C-alpha cells in the first residue's frame, strides 16, 4: 500500500473516530451545576475541551488504523470469510 493511500485511510479513521469519542465525558450545564443561558439547549456541553478530545480521537484512530494495517498485511479477515450469501464465485482479486 502506498503511503498516500495509508494516510488517506488514516484520515478517514480519524474523522470516523470523532463521532465515536464525542459523546463520552460530556457534562451538560445542569449536570455541572450551572445556569442555562436563555436560548441555550439543555443538551449543550458545559465546557468543551478540544485539545483533550483531539488527543482521544487520535489515540482511537491510531489503534483502529494499526488493526486495519495488520489485517491488510496478515489477511485475518478477508471478503471470503464474511461471505454471508455464498457468493464466493463473484469475488475476484
Amino acid at each position: 500500500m502506498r503511503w498516500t493511500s495509508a494516510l488517506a485511510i488514516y484520515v478517514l479513521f480519524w474523522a470516523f473516530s470523532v463521532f465515536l469519542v464525542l459523546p463520552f465525558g460530556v457534562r451538560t450545564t445542569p449536570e455541572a451545576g450551572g445556569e442555562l443561558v436563555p436560548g441555550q439547549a439543555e443538551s449543550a456541553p458545559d465546557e468543551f475541551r478540544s485539545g483533550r478530545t483531539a488527543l482521544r480521537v487520535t489515540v482511537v484512530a491510531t489503534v483502529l488504523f494499526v488493526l486495519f494495517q495488520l489485517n491488510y498485511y496478515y489477511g485475518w479477515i478477508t471478503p471470503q470469510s464474511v461471505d454471508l450469501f455464498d457468493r464466493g464465485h463473484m469475488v475476484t482479486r
Side-chain angles (χ1 to χ4, degrees), residues 12-30:
L12 289 174
F13 273 113
W14 199 93
F16 176 69
S17 298
V18 169
F19 296 104
L20 290 175
V21 171
L22 274 179
F24 296 101
V26 177
R27 293 177 45 187
T28 62
T29 303

Side-chain angles (χ1 to χ4, degrees), residues 27-44:
R27 293 177 45 187
T28 62
T29 303
E31 290 174 343
E35 298 267 339
L36 289 176
V37 177
Q40 178 183 0
E42 293 180 15
S43 60

Side-chain angles (χ1 to χ4, degrees), residues 16-69:
F16 176 69
S17 298
V18 169
F19 296 104
L20 290 175
V21 171
L22 274 179
F24 296 101
V26 177
R27 293 177 45 187
T28 62
T29 303
E31 290 174 343
E35 298 267 339
L36 289 176
V37 177
Q40 178 183 0
E42 293 180 15
S43 60
D46 180 55
E47 183 179 346
F48 180 70
R49 296 181 177 158
S50 59
R52 180 182 289 177
T53 303
L55 179 64
R56 289 178 180 172
V57 168
T58 302
V59 168
V60 170
T62 302
V63 168
L64 292 174
F65 181 72
V66 166
L67 288 173
F68 172 80
Q69 283 291 95

